[in-house]
Amino acid sequence: MRRFNHFNASTMENAVSLLNESEGPAYVIAGGSDLMGCLKDNLWIEAPERVVNLKTIPGLKYILVEDGDLHLGALATLTEIAESDTVKLQWPGLAEAARRTASPLLRNMGTIAGNICQENRCWYFRYPDKIGGRIDCVRKGGKRCLAVPGDHRFHSIFGAVNKCIAVNPSDTAPALVVLDATVKTTKREIPIDEFFTAEMGAQSTVLDRDEIVTEIVVPAPQAGPNSAFRKIAYRKSIDFALVNCAAALVIRDGKVESARICLNAVYNNPRRCEASEELLKGRELTEELAQEAGRLAVAEAKPLLQNGFKVQMAKTIVSDTLMDCI
Ligand SMILES: Cc1cc2nc3c(=O)[nH]c(=O)nc-3n(C[C@H](O)[C@H](O)[C@H](O)COP(=O)(O)OP(=O)(O)OC[C@H]3O[C@@H](n4cnc5c(N)ncnc54)[C@H](O)[C@@H]3O)c2cc1C
Ligand code: SF4
């Protein structure tokens, strides 16, 4: 690991100043379960000069309900979210997404903000520089994607963004997307639908380099807690998703008034299934309708040679997650 300077921030303002005063690239660290791996494997083109610790800032680790909305402090851990009775009762899709993330130890360390800001897990991107030299793919400033001609079993089934077919690995991201969350930062409020991007090199979010997530706000569920999350992974514990899915429905008088459905680990960014959402509107949710929604969700899939199996998984997980909502 290259040497860097470590600073304990005392307030958010102090953390932003520490980022801005850095002569080279600077990163914030929360639980460190993703960042430490990135630092050890020397992933970035320019090695960080500074790491700014957010855990020393008091008052960022909370789960509160105010006027019916859920407020998650940036340092709320995945364990705390998974085990919160309030979250389980009113936002079950989010509690389940947090519960299915990684392993107990990682959930104890990992924070909600870190989970949605984590880097992608493409094995070429993550390849440690100390084993046979650095691999510079497009996402790391190189000229080509190694996964397209190489091993892309776990990669995108919906095409590339800027030639990159890595997928967003977060489990809580799709849950926050269907719950229409807002990400509050030191600069602005970002609707979750606009938060993720693969357009900015290695970065997976639209955050500026000196911008820090302070809180995530999830609106009160309308007409009952009809949200759900499912994940398919090789092993139930610890593994990243091959495919995951979250859905949230507003059901009145037995009919779906509105629906939000999101697949993740299938594309660079969490992917809303808008055609499936439209299909459900105004109709009673039955198994047949849920299966039709699953088929529509993958109608535009463009699998590569090795990952066609993920299309079938995505189709099935959408219909199963929808049925879980009711
Ligand atoms: C073995 C293993 C298995 C895993 N399995 C899963 C899994 O199944 N599902 C899954 O979703 N994740 C998984 N992860 C990833 C990781 O554990 C989680 O994403 C975790 O929630 C990251 O949170 P953290 O607080 O540790 O983030 P950190 O490592 O501290 O930070 C991650 C990134 O977010 C940035 N960041 C952190 N906090 C903020 C903030 N407040 N504002 C702006 N940027 C911020 C950091 O700069 C860094 O770039 C796994 C990781 C490992 C090592
Ligand atoms: S998929 Fe993206 S991260 Fe992976 S090798 Fe290709 S360009 Fe790099």
Side-chain angles (χ1 to χ4, degrees):
M1 190 188 303
R2 299 220 192 132
R3 292 181 76 80
F4 58 84
N5 295 306
H6 182 270
F7 293 84
N8 286 328
S10 52
T11 61
M12 267 297 171
E13 294 72 31
N14 178 232
V16 172
S17 304
L18 286 165
L19 290 176
N20 281 323
E21 286 158 12
S22 177
E23 282 171 11
Y27 288 83
V28 295
I29 186 165
S33 62
D34 183 51
L35 189 85
M36 289 311 293
C38 299
L39 291 174
K40 266 170 61 189
D41 294 338
N42 196 20
L43 287 195
W44 295 299
I45 302 163
E46 291 177 275
E49 193 267 314
R50 280 189 180 187
V51 169
V52 177
N53 181 16
L54 301 180
K55 291 189 299 296
T56 42
I57 303 176
L60 283 180
K61 200 172 190 287
Y62 55 85
I63 299 176
L64 291 173
V65 177
E66 272 175 18
D67 297 329
D69 297 342
L70 176 68
H71 294 252
L72 301 171
L75 292 185
T77 65
L78 297 165
T79 298
E80 287 162 345
I81 294 167
E83 291 182 356
S84 157
D85 287 337
T86 311
V87 181
K88 280 196 273 191
L89 201 65
Q90 297 205 61
W91 297 273
L94 177 60
E96 180 63 4
R99 190 184 75 79
R100 290 297 314 275
T101 301
S103 63
L105 287 177
L106 285 157
R107 290 195 290 276
N108 288 345
M109 287 167 67
T111 61
I112 186 72
N115 190 264
I116 59 170
C117 295
Q118 63 178 297
E119 295 288 12
N120 81 78
R121 286 273 156 181
C122 167
W123 32 45
Y124 298 102
F125 181 84
R126 291 266 172 174
Y127 193 78
D129 70 332
K130 44 194 175 300
I131 308 177
R134 194 181 159 79
I135 294 181
D136 275 335
C137 65
V138 179
R139 194 96 179 239
K140 287 199 316 200
K143 289 208 168 61
R144 61 194 191 109
C145 168
L146 282 297
V148 171
D151 188 334
H152 49 244
R153 275 172 286 168
F154 299 163
H155 289 70
S156 170
I157 53 170
F158 287 100
V161 175
N162 287 341
K163 297 188 189 161
C164 173
I165 54 164
V167 296
N168 183 297
S170 168
D171 282 321
T172 61
L176 292 170
V177 167
V178 299
L179 293 169
D180 205 10
T182 299
V183 181
K184 290 191 173 178
T185 76
T186 43
K187 291 187 175 178
R188 52 189 162 152
E189 294 188 5
I190 310 171
I192 193 81
D193 281 334
E194 295 165 24
F195 184 72
F196 299 98
T197 180
E199 305 281 347
M200 291 163 66
Q203 212 175 313
S204 60
T205 71
V206 297
L207 294 179
D208 295 336
R209 280 289 169 209
D210 62 346
E211 186 171 17
I212 305 173
V213 174
T214 54
E215 185 183 71
I216 297 166
V217 183
V218 183
Q222 293 177 46
N226 297 320
S227 67
F229 172 87
R230 277 191 178 229
K231 170 175 177 175
I232 303 174
Y234 272 118
R235 293 170 298 183
K236 270 195 176 164
S237 65
I238 216 168
D239 273 344
F240 284 91
L242 292 169
V243 177
N244 65 22
C245 180
L249 306 178
V250 177
I251 298 177
R252 286 189 221 273
D253 302 326
K255 303 257 168 71
V256 177
E257 187 175 283
S258 67
R260 284 172 74 94
I261 308 166
C262 183
L263 282 165
N264 207 14
V266 294
Y267 184 57
N268 278 260
N269 302 315
R271 190 178 165 93
R272 287 267 303 277
C273 310
E274 284 168 1
S276 313
E277 293 172 0
E278 276 304 310
L279 174 81
L280 300 184
K281 272 190 200 160
R283 299 174 69 178
E284 185 189 344
L285 183 59
T286 59
E287 261 192 55
E288 292 69 36
L289 189 63
Q291 281 166 11
E292 181 56 23
R295 278 192 286 277
L296 265 186
V298 294
E300 288 174 12
K302 299 176 215 139
L304 298 161
L305 272 180
Q306 300 156 0
N307 65 4
F309 71 100
K310 286 180 56 163
V311 178
Q312 180 61 39
M313 284 180 173
K315 186 167 82 172
T316 311
I317 205 172
V318 165
S319 61
D320 288 349
T321 311
L322 283 171
M323 293 314 288
D324 285 352
C325 288
I326 52 167

